Amino acid sequence: MSIVLSMVDYLRPDGEPLFQSLDLVLGDGEKAALVGHNGVGKSTLIRLMAGELMPAAGAVTIGGTRWTVPQHTGQYDEMPVIRALGVEPQWLALRAILGGDAAEIHFEKLQDDWELEDRVAEALAGWGLGDVDPERPMGSLSGGEKTKVFLAGAQIHRPDLLLLDEPSNHLDQQSRQKLYEFIKTWTGSLLVVSHDRTLLDLMDTTLELTTLGLEVFGGNYTFYRGQKDGQLQALQHQRDEQEKALKQARQKAKELAEQRQKKEVRGKAHGQKQSLPRIVAGNLQRQAEVSSARMKEVHENKMSGLSDELRQTRSRIEELLPLRLSLGTPHLHKGKLLAEGRDVQVVYSDRVLWTLSFQIRSGDRIRIAGPNGSGKTSLLRLLTGSRQPDAGVLWRAEVPFAWLDQDYSLLDPALPVLRQVERFNSRLLPEHSLKSLLHQHQFPAEKWYTPTRDLSGGEKLKLALCCLAAGTEAPELLLLDEPTNNLDIRSQELLTTAIREYPGTVLVVSHDVAFLREIGIEQEMTLA
């Protein structure tokens, strides 16, 4: 087997368990996706498998070699590319030998890998990094280029187990397609953490990590979603039956109470009529009261049990059922001209990135496409008025707009959650209404004074939508810049549903094909 987890525990820095008693067997050549909400410990689990962290208890056993493509690459900025590729000792030994140094240590390090230089060049070129000097610092590369270096490393080493942590986050569409093809042809074992649903559908198995542990679903992400939808339907049916049983129990309790009351009235009247001795009548009354109390207790316990079961079922349904939030309804009729550009140019470092003529009308749903560095975000900034064109003519209507990027820049990182919403409260809603709005967007009272910087990506998304809801006007224009990059699957579904139901104008920069399809993109503006 490529990897075995046996009763693995991991503790947070404060000593609280992140997860406990995890068991997993990943077979040779098996490709699996690891999914779960943000903060549940997916990246930590990957790092345990990579040997970068040690479990608090249990064992992680790897059968063979392994290689990791990390999500965060800043810690590698000071090292040269060749070290990130994992072949620096051999590379330096080869360089020394070719330079005339015949010391035995160099031959020992090289291990007869005389084709190393060609293999490195081929791997880098295969990921579009053919012009990157292997001795160049990693810090001089873009985020997408750093990811490609580690993917090239996987190609060089061909490990038994490949661990991928959000590998498509910083890749443009062409590079994502290359990644998909690479995964399809990979013959070793593979475990990927990703929110890219196209990538997740290439896997054989889906592993869901929750606070309860790891659950294995024997299929790709689409299969997994079908299973989760089936669970939701079963729970909804269970909820309906429990509500019915609780209603019947309450009705039965009411009927029994009425019967007891009538019986007590009849018994009292009968006792008086029979002229029973007072002590005998009192004993009979006490026996009746004890019997009634016992029966009442039995029914109250039954109703309490049914209520607890119903509460638990509703809680599980809420976990599975995506939150539905609205971006509001714009006022403009479809087809109104919002922006027009004629021979608009954007220049960067004395180089023309693109020249474009276009029209944008209300109701349009447009994807802005182009490779990394082509100036897609610059076009969005032109449309908000925060940047001016370097050449050409641009006209834009003054309409309310909302900008959602992967960093949620509309939020102030220093402000706590409640103050953030107050900042957008142009409707002058009273404080209790703002708190109700926060509850609606799944922010309990204990979160209201948390600084925005400490929120997860999904929480920032919900806070941004909450802030927009506190505003006076619904946006006529929604600008999205890689909005799904830092979101877990559930938050992506929330955003997807909100945008799909939003009737206004949408311009989006994204390489997530599934997201683009589901929000109903109809046009494309391509920047060369």
Side-chain angles (χ1 to χ4, degrees):
M1 294 296 174
S2 281
I3 188 164
V4 178
L5 303 185
S6 303
M7 299 296 289
V8 170
D9 294 357
Y10 188 81
L11 304 180
R12 301 178 191 271
D14 61 4
E16 289 295 311
L18 180 60
F19 42 70
Q20 295 177 292
S21 304
L22 294 189
D23 290 311
L24 173 67
V25 176
L26 188 67
D28 293 336
E30 188 174 358
K31 298 174 183 177
L34 179 62
V35 301
H37 298 334
N38 283 354
V40 78
K42 301 185 297 296
S43 292
T44 299
L45 188 54
I46 284 276
R47 294 183 67 194
L48 283 166
M49 295 178 185
E52 297 174 15
L53 299 174
M54 295 299 294
V60 179
T61 306
I62 305 295
T65 58
R66 57 192 165 187
W67 182 261
T68 304
V69 178
Q71 177 183 3
H72 304 292
T73 56
Q75 67 269 36
Y76 302 99
D77 284 354
E78 300 302 318
M79 67 173 60
V81 168
I82 201 67
R83 190 183 306 169
L85 289 171
V87 291
E88 186 181 34
Q90 302 95 304
W91 179 271
L92 294 177
L94 179 59
R95 282 277 180 253
I97 294 169
L98 295 177
D101 186 348
E104 185 177 347
I105 187 66
H106 299 320
F107 289 92
E108 291 175 0
K109 289 182 178 179
L110 183 60
Q111 299 176 338
D112 287 332
D113 191 359
W114 298 101
E115 296 179 351
L116 174 65
E117 194 170 2
D118 291 336
R119 291 195 299 117
V120 167
E122 181 182 355
L124 290 174
W127 288 99
L129 302 175
D131 59 345
V132 171
D133 183 343
E135 298 186 19
R136 177 177 168 180
M138 286 285 286
S140 66
L141 303 178
S142 70
E145 288 171 329
K146 292 175 190 175
T147 297
K148 292 178 194 178
V149 166
F150 286 100
L151 288 167
Q155 194 167 320
I156 292 169
H157 294 280
R158 305 300 300 183
D160 299 300
L161 173 64
L162 178 58
L163 302 168
L164 304 169
D165 192 359
E166 299 289 0
S168 61
N169 254 13
H170 301 289
L171 301 183
D172 59 26
Q173 189 57 50
Q174 184 178 356
S175 299
R176 285 193 181 204
Q177 197 58 48
K178 166 73 177 174
L179 173 64
Y180 302 152
E181 294 302 321
F182 176 72
I183 287 174
K184 286 177 186 176
T185 58
W186 185 258
T187 55
S189 300
L190 183 150
L191 182 68
V192 59
V193 170
S194 179
H195 302 132
D196 181 340
R197 287 163 288 181
T198 302
L199 190 158
L200 295 176
D201 268 342
L202 301 177
M203 301 299 112
D204 308 316
T205 303
T206 301
L207 313 172
E208 183 184 37
L209 180 62
T210 68
T211 54
L212 301 177
L214 268 174
E215 186 174 359
V216 179
F217 294 82
N220 64 10
Y221 181 74
T222 298
F223 174 83
Y224 159 78
R225 279 309 318 168
Q227 294 293 301
K228 299 298 283 187
D229 289 343
Q231 287 181 10
L232 176 60
Q233 291 174 9
L235 284 169
Q236 288 171 330
H237 176 72
Q238 182 176 312
R239 176 203 58 197
D240 294 343
E241 292 299 312
Q242 288 171 339
E243 287 176 343
K244 181 179 178 182
L246 182 59
K247 183 178 180 181
Q248 290 174 342
R250 286 171 174 162
Q251 181 62 32
K252 184 70 175 176
K254 180 182 177 183
E255 292 171 355
L256 287 173
E258 292 172 348
Q259 290 172 9
R260 284 196 304 272
Q261 188 177 14
K262 290 177 181 177
K263 189 174 181 180
E264 288 169 2
V265 170
R266 286 198 303 267
K268 186 176 181 181
H270 182 70
Q272 291 173 346
K273 186 176 181 181
Q274 295 295 321
S275 301
L276 291 174
R278 182 176 298 177
I279 189 170
V280 173
N283 284 335
L284 290 173
Q285 183 176 355
R286 281 193 293 274
Q287 290 174 7
E289 287 173 351
V290 169
S291 176
S292 295
R294 285 175 180 169
M295 189 175 296
K296 181 180 180 183
E297 183 181 2
V298 167
H299 280 281
E300 285 179 347
N301 288 340
K302 181 178 180 180
M303 285 190 292
S304 177
L306 288 171
S307 295
D308 287 343
E309 291 174 1
L310 179 58
R311 192 159 39 248
Q312 291 172 11
T313 301
R314 284 172 173 167
S315 177
R316 292 175 63 193
I317 288 173
E318 286 179 7
E319 290 178 4
L320 291 172
L321 199 62
L323 178 68
R324 298 181 76 90
L325 298 175
S326 174
L327 287 161
T329 303
H331 301 295
L332 292 180
H333 297 297
K334 188 168 183 174
K336 182 175 176 61
L337 187 63
L338 296 182
E340 183 174 18
R342 286 180 288 175
D343 297 324
V344 171
Q345 284 188 355
V346 164
V347 177
Y348 181 75
S349 296
D350 298 326
R351 181 173 68 90
V352 176
L353 291 182
W354 45 261
T355 303
L356 196 63
S357 296
F358 58 87
Q359 283 189 344
I360 298 171
R361 296 183 177 276
S362 54
D364 286 349
R365 302 178 89 81
I366 303 171
R367 177 198 178 194
I368 301 173
N372 288 347
S374 60
K376 299 184 292 294
T377 300
S378 295
L379 177 55
L380 293 183
R381 295 192 182 285
L382 288 176
L383 295 172
T384 66
S386 60
R387 173 178 178 150
Q388 298 302 313
D390 296 298
V393 178
L394 173 66
W395 175 86
R396 45 182 291 276
E398 292 295 333
V399 294
F401 66 86
W403 174 296
L404 285 180
D405 59 9
Q406 58 187 309
D407 298 318
Y408 302 102
S409 304
L410 64 86
L411 303 176
D412 183 339
L415 285 181
V417 168
L418 179 58
R419 299 291 171 256
Q420 196 80 250
V421 179
E422 288 175 345
R423 189 165 69 99
F424 282 81
N425 185 22
S426 56
R427 292 162 59 188
L428 302 179
L429 296 171
E431 184 170 298
H432 69 85
S433 296
L434 292 181
K435 291 178 176 178
S436 175
L437 199 59
L438 282 167
H439 273 300
Q440 182 187 341
H441 288 74
Q442 295 185 335
F443 284 99
E446 56 267 25
K447 278 280 187 181
W448 293 346
Y449 301 101
T450 300
T452 300
R453 66 167 66 90
D454 295 337
L455 301 180
S456 69
E459 288 172 328
K460 288 178 182 175
L461 166 68
K462 286 183 278 194
L463 181 56
L465 295 178
C466 185
C467 288
L468 292 176
T472 306
E473 296 181 278
E476 295 288 348
L477 178 63
L478 185 60
L479 304 166
L480 306 165
D481 193 358
E482 298 287 5
T484 62
N485 266 9
N486 299 314
L487 298 183
D488 60 23
I489 295 289
R490 190 177 187 186
S491 300
Q492 284 192 26
E493 291 172 348
L494 162 64
L495 179 63
T496 299
T497 301
I499 296 170
R500 187 170 56 237
E501 295 177 351
Y502 166 71
T505 310
V506 176
L507 270 79
V508 57
V509 173
S510 177
H511 303 297
D512 187 334
V513 175
F515 171 70
L516 293 168
R517 180 177 62 249
E518 290 176 15
I519 64 172
I521 292 300
E522 301 163 339
Q523 304 175 46
E524 187 169 289
M525 293 169 60
T526 302
L527 308 181

